[in-house]
């Protein structure tokens, strides 16, 4: 019933930037981004609360990625700068069913998921 569409992935060179978008069919509570590289488990990347007052980042992306949202448009974003080969993965946006503040690094917090968008970073 709740649909999320993530987009913006592509093939880029190391050091380049990309902006991922996540459009929702309804207003979102907390939302986050996860990624899954080939042969690896899905991992937390970043999250933001409903008001945008709190943000969270995986250590490996701190200082390079910025999460944001536009609640008037039911849309979230992930600005990715200084991309590395290690960032190559399928990126998924997700939204919670309730207005959580803590535990947003845990994928179990999220009820709704986008289809995923591929980010490939070459050297």
């Amino acid at each position: 019933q709740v649909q999320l569409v993530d987009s913006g992935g592509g093939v880029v060179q190391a050091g380049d930037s990309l902006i991922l978008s996540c459009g929702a069919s309804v207003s979102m509570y907390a939302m986050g981004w996860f990624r899954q590289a080939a042969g690896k488990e899905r991992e937390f990347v970043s999250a933001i609360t409903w008001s945008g007052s709190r943000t969270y980042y995986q250590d490996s992306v701190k200082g390079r990625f910025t999460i944001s949202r536009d609640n008037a448009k039911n849309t979230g974003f992930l600005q990715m700068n200084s991309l590395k080969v290690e960032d190559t993965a399928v990126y998924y946006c997700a939204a919670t069913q309730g207005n959580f503040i803590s535990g947003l690094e845990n994928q179990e917090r999220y009820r709704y998921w986008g289809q995923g968008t591929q980010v490939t970073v070459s050297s």
Side-chain angles (χ1 to χ4, degrees), residues 4-12 18-23 31-38 42-43 45 65 76-80 83 87-94 113-121:
L4 304 182
V5 178
D6 38 26
S7 61
V11 180
V12 299
L18 281 174
I19 302 175
L20 304 185
S21 298
C22 177
M31 65 88 58
W33 292 92
F34 292 77
R35 66 187 181 187
Q36 185 169 23
R42 186 165 60 190
E43 67 175 1
V45 177
F65 291 10
F77 304 94
L78 185 68
Q79 173 71 56
M80 305 187 295
L83 283 163
D87 296 318
T88 295
V90 177
Y91 284 70
Y92 300 89
C93 67
W113 293 81
Q115 81 286 354
T117 185
Q118 176 72 48
V119 173
T120 301
V121 184

Side-chain angles (χ1 to χ4, degrees), residues 36-115:
Q36 185 169 23
K40 297 185 178 181
E41 298 289 330
R42 186 165 60 190
E43 67 175 1
F44 169 75
V45 177
S46 186
I48 187 169
T49 57
W50 176 85
S51 68
S53 63
R54 296 181 178 85
T55 58
Y56 307 88
Y57 296 94
Q58 168 68 229
D59 286 345
S60 66
V61 307
K62 287 181 179 177
R64 299 190 298 120
F65 291 10
T66 302
I67 190 170
S68 62
R69 63 190 299 161
D70 185 343
N71 287 352
K73 297 181 179 180
N74 296 334
T75 304
F77 304 94
L78 185 68
Q79 173 71 56
M80 305 187 295
N81 296 327
S82 301
L83 283 163
K84 302 176 180 180
V85 173
E86 305 92 273
D87 296 318
T88 295
V90 177
Y91 284 70
Y92 300 89
C93 67
T96 65
Q97 187 175 40
N99 194 16
F100 295 105
I101 296 176
S102 62
L104 294 175
E105 78 286 350
N106 184 352
Q107 66 181 353
E108 295 298 323
R109 286 290 204 215
Y110 301 87
R111 176 69 178 274
Y112 311 106
W113 293 81
Q115 81 286 354

